[in-house]
Amino acid sequence: MTGPDIPESHPRYESLLTRHRIEEGVDLGITSRQGLIAQGRGEAFDYLLGEETLPSADEAERVAAASLLRADHAVLSVNGNVAALAPGELVELAEATGADLEVNLFNRTEARMERIADHLREHGAEAVKGLDADGRIPGLDHERAKVDADGIGDADVVLVPLEDGDRAEALAEMGKTELVVDLNPLSRSAQSATVPIIDNLIRAVPNMTAHARELADADDEELDAIIERFDAETALAAAERAIREPDDADDS
């Protein structure tokens, strides 16, 4: 994708950059038009959060990295908005943690699936799952129920950024460790997550990769300790407090 002509000194640089990426994703057939609406909703919450990574979110990102490293089989789920916003960043996170990449769409067509898989390969992915769709998530009737049996179907840890609430709940019901990136701490996705990451995707994914690299030599005992100390309700409360009481620093 080509970059917009926006100086980094612009006070809304990051916001304008993400808008451009989503718009271009629609033009490329990667992102659905409904993705434009979802992006606008997320941008509103990011504005309320101060357009920065809260300390509580950074902690969640470190826990997510530890969870991916500790997993027997980790999968990073990719939808249209995720593919448009952070394709290279997702590939780097997959490489840093040994996770698989799997495309999963609500507005699913074979053409869109292929375009997103090709887009991820253009950004360095060697293998992309999701095209076989030989497994299903129980309790869902729409297209997002379709998964690869040896991908999300088999995974014990799944990163589901920008997720639909019903699918997030269904994955939680399957007993999977669910890492959710969502800017709304009150969403069903965030509320059902094992590790809710209340942050902008374009900040959260590179942060997770940095934490994963820093933890690359950690043993299982250290990773387990990081994971066990985390409290999802505390993280959600910190994000909600930052929205409701922006003058109070998030010191969690």
Side-chain angles (χ1 to χ4, degrees):
M1 291 186 182
T2 59
D5 186 18
I6 305 169
E8 291 189 27
S9 59
H10 192 290
R12 303 305 308 284
Y13 173 78
E14 188 175 272
S15 175
L16 294 172
L17 180 65
T18 56
R19 289 183 200 177
H20 173 82
R21 289 178 178 176
I22 293 293
E23 289 168 356
E24 193 164 15
V26 173
D27 292 340
L28 293 173
I30 292 171
T31 306
S32 70
R33 287 180 295 176
Q34 289 89 338
L36 293 166
I37 299 170
Q39 173 62 25
R41 182 176 62 239
E43 186 175 305
F45 277 98
D46 200 22
Y47 189 81
L48 293 172
L49 288 164
E51 296 180 304
E52 63 181 4
T53 298
L54 301 174
S56 55
D58 185 67
E59 180 192 1
E61 287 151 7
R62 188 166 187 261
V63 173
S67 299
L68 292 168
L69 290 169
R70 190 70 175 91
D72 292 325
H73 181 196
V75 175
L76 314 181
S77 182
V78 182
N79 64 19
N81 279 31
V82 172
L85 290 172
E89 292 85 347
L90 262 293
V91 171
E92 289 185 12
L93 179 60
E95 291 174 349
T97 60
D100 289 333
L101 292 162
E102 179 165 338
V103 181
N104 182 271
L105 302 176
F106 183 86
N107 296 297
R108 179 189 177 107
T109 66
E110 293 307 311
R112 271 191 78 205
M113 295 289 292
E114 291 285 358
R115 287 191 196 103
I116 292 173
D118 287 343
H119 188 62
L120 292 170
R121 295 186 191 105
E122 289 168 6
H123 284 82
E126 294 184 2
V128 181
K129 295 183 180 294
L131 301 176
D132 291 339
D134 53 354
R136 291 190 68 85
I137 299 172
L140 296 180
D141 296 326
H142 52 68
E143 291 291 278
R144 298 205 77 175
K146 296 179 179 179
V147 295
D148 278 13
D150 65 348
I152 289 175
D154 177 63
D156 58 331
V157 177
V158 186
L159 175 70
V160 282
L162 314 184
E163 188 59 82
D164 292 322
D166 58 345
R167 184 166 177 270
E169 290 177 333
L171 287 168
E173 286 292 323
M174 293 177 73
K176 298 184 185 297
T177 296
E178 191 176 20
L179 319 173
V180 171
V181 181
D182 194 316
L183 281 159
N184 178 6
L186 300 177
S187 73
R188 285 186 296 165
S189 299
Q191 293 286 327
S192 65
T194 312
V195 182
I197 302 162
I198 311 303
D199 200 4
N200 191 314
L201 177 78
I202 66 172
R203 296 190 300 266
V205 175
N207 283 352
M208 280 186 272
T209 301
H211 284 304
R213 289 170 176 163
E214 182 256 325
L215 293 169
D217 296 326
D219 58 25
D220 290 348
E221 184 177 355
E222 182 179 351
L223 294 175
D224 287 342
I226 292 169
I227 295 166
E228 290 167 8
R229 284 197 300 267
F230 181 73
D231 184 81
E233 291 186 4
T234 299
L236 291 169
E240 185 176 348
R241 186 167 58 252
I243 292 172
R244 294 183 184 275
E245 305 169 16
D247 292 334
D248 292 342
D250 172 14
D251 56 3
S252 56

